[in-house]
Amino acid sequence: MSGVHYFRTMPVSGPKSYPSRIAVVGGLGLTYNTTSTVNNMTSNHPDLILLVGDLSYADTYFTNGTASNTPIHESYQPRWDYWGRYMQPLISSVPTMVIEGDNEIEEQAGNKKFVAYSSRFAFPSKESGSSSTLYYSFNAGGIHFIMIGSYVSYDKSGDQYKWLEKDLASLDRKVTPWLVATWHAPWYNTYMTHYREAECMRVQMEDLLYKHGVDIVFNGHVNAYERSNRVYNYTLDPCGPVYITVGDGGNREKIAITHADEPGNCPKPSTTPDSFMGGFCAFNFTSGPAAGKFCWDKQPDYSAFRDSSFGHGILEVKNETHALWIWHRNQDLYQIAGDAIYIVRQPHKCPTVKPEEVHKTRI
């Protein structure tokens, strides 16, 4: 038996109560860069950790333990054990919430998927009305988190979408003013890697999230950092969410560097669909600065800041309307912020759908 571990639970839900620091990171793996990221994250003393997918990279190892350069149809489960033992000092004392990435699919015999992910972590699925470990929600003080699955059906006729509609309709923004969404594959990504790969998911779900006033979205998948301006349907919108990609925790796949808007880097549309979910939705833009093209010719208006570095982020929600986001790069000193911004809610300018209004539209 292990020793006894202690952790502090989340604050009771309410508009005046928030965790002091929420750490956000994805693409951790188990490398020298992972060590730097976890050490830096630990020094920030988070009260809650969000892991936005791609954790152990066990699916990049053959069953004999030798490494592959890409995800394969095998998995080396001891890699999960190594990763868990390394992470134990941190995640045994800090509440940690996880959403699956593509490296957690781990396709196995009998058409089994996500077995290690679903077995090694605890999910409040039942408590949040979800029938799956791949999507769920929870509260942390005055923040409502919706954890959405990029690798399970997101069609409007599917179980996940129906669950999400019900979850959002039940929110009381007077109790949890902040609404934060997390999933793995980003909708707004200007790197050549995974460019517009999750377009079908955006087409299905963006209107619903916008209607209910999601404030911040955290993603992983792309092994780099990027923060957007408030955006909706590729257009700057003061009521849209701020999208933040933090998929650069320490993976062994190298950091993403090239941008799709740089000369010669625009991928062919036929190469962009997600190989696991399938479908094709990434057509040329029909309006705006990139009309008639698949990529922009410069850094898009919605992309506020991007950097190819390993690191992690810290979210500090100050009150009902202001939150401080700081991204820490591994190569910087502790006091230096790679990116820092106050995210401000404006509920008087961006009214959200009230539960009774949603109910009326369903009658």
Side-chain angles (χ1 to χ4, degrees):
M1 299 290 289
S2 74
V4 178
H5 298 280
Y6 300 89
F7 68 93
R8 185 181 297 275
T9 57
M10 288 297 95
V12 175
S13 297
K16 305 293 184 182
S17 178
Y18 299 97
S20 296
R21 294 183 185 87
I22 302 169
V24 186
V25 68
L28 267 175
L30 197 57
T31 67
Y32 289 113
N33 290 306
T34 308
T35 301
S36 298
T37 300
V38 172
N39 287 344
N40 291 345
M41 188 162 54
T42 302
S43 68
N44 269 320
H45 305 290
D47 301 292
L48 171 66
I49 299 172
L50 297 182
L51 299 181
V52 294
D54 289 353
L55 306 176
S56 74
Y57 289 87
D59 67 331
T60 62
Y61 290 81
F62 294 100
T63 52
N64 63 8
T66 58
S68 168
N69 291 325
T70 57
I72 52 179
H73 293 285
E74 293 190 34
S75 181
Y76 186 58
Q77 288 303 296
R79 197 73 189 175
W80 273 108
D81 300 330
Y82 305 156
W83 185 87
R85 282 193 289 270
Y86 174 76
M87 294 293 293
Q88 180 178 318
L90 180 61
I91 63 178
S92 64
S93 59
V94 182
T96 302
M97 306 304 289
V98 183
I99 197 66
E100 81 279 2
D102 57 308
N103 287 99
E104 278 71 65
I105 296 173
E106 296 185 284
E107 298 175 89
Q108 300 177 26
N111 200 34
K112 293 181 178 180
K113 305 176 183 68
F114 305 105
V115 175
Y117 162 84
S118 298
S119 303
R120 293 173 182 265
F121 300 95
F123 306 91
S125 300
K126 183 178 180 180
E127 294 84 345
S128 60
S130 169
S131 60
S132 172
T133 60
L134 305 182
Y135 52 89
Y136 60 93
S137 66
F138 67 96
N139 287 350
I143 312 168
H144 185 72
F145 287 93
I146 49 174
M147 312 291 279
I148 305 174
S150 293
Y151 303 101
V152 62
S153 174
Y154 37 69
D155 291 343
K156 294 180 180 179
S157 60
D159 289 342
Q160 178 175 213
Y161 192 94
K162 293 176 181 177
W163 164 82
L164 183 58
E165 277 189 310
K166 186 176 180 180
D167 187 86
L168 292 172
S170 67
L171 287 184
D172 185 347
R173 300 300 282 271
K174 294 180 180 178
V175 178
T176 53
W178 288 86
L179 178 54
V180 176
T182 298
W183 63 87
H184 186 61
W187 298 346
Y188 291 94
N189 162 43
T190 64
Y191 288 89
M192 188 176 177
T193 304
H194 304 305
Y195 180 69
R196 298 184 72 183
E197 181 183 286
E199 189 73 0
C200 286
M201 184 182 181
R202 185 193 69 82
V203 169
Q204 292 291 318
M205 288 187 160
E206 187 175 26
D207 285 349
L208 181 62
L209 299 188
Y210 179 79
K211 181 173 66 175
H212 285 275
V214 170
D215 298 299
I216 307 171
V217 173
F218 290 118
N219 302 123
H221 203 35
V222 178
N223 301 325
Y225 174 79
E226 184 164 19
R227 171 177 56 81
S228 81
N229 293 305
R230 290 188 175 273
V231 59
Y232 167 66
N233 194 25
Y234 290 103
T235 303
L236 296 182
D237 189 313
C239 297
V242 173
Y243 290 81
I244 300 173
T245 297
V246 194
D248 51 351
N251 66 87
R252 56 185 296 270
E253 298 175 321
K254 298 181 180 179
I255 204 78
I257 297 175
T258 56
H259 302 112
D261 50 85
E262 295 168 345
N265 286 344
C266 185
K268 294 181 179 180
S270 60
T271 67
T272 60
D274 173 62
S275 58
F276 181 73
M277 293 304 297
F280 184 79
C281 304
F283 300 100
N284 286 353
F285 294 103
T286 57
S287 61
K293 303 173 185 176
F294 190 65
C295 301
W296 294 54
D297 294 330
K298 60 177 183 178
Q299 183 172 357
D301 295 341
Y302 64 78
S303 177
F305 184 83
R306 55 192 184 185
D307 193 11
S308 299
S309 300
F310 289 104
H312 76 285
I314 295 290
L315 179 68
E316 300 179 10
V317 177
K318 304 296 186 181
N319 51 43
E320 298 97 316
T321 57
H322 287 70
L324 175 63
W325 166 255
I326 302 176
W327 175 56
H328 295 277
R329 308 192 312 171
N330 285 358
Q331 66 266 38
D332 294 333
L333 297 175
Y334 175 74
Q335 296 86 353
I336 298 175
D339 183 32
I341 184 175
Y342 267 99
I343 299 173
V344 182
R345 297 184 63 247
Q346 301 184 85
H348 59 290
K349 291 185 177 180
C350 304
T352 57
V353 175
K354 297 179 180 178
E356 60 268 22
E357 292 175 346
V358 175
H359 180 69
K360 288 177 182 177
T361 62
R362 288 179 175 175
I363 293 176

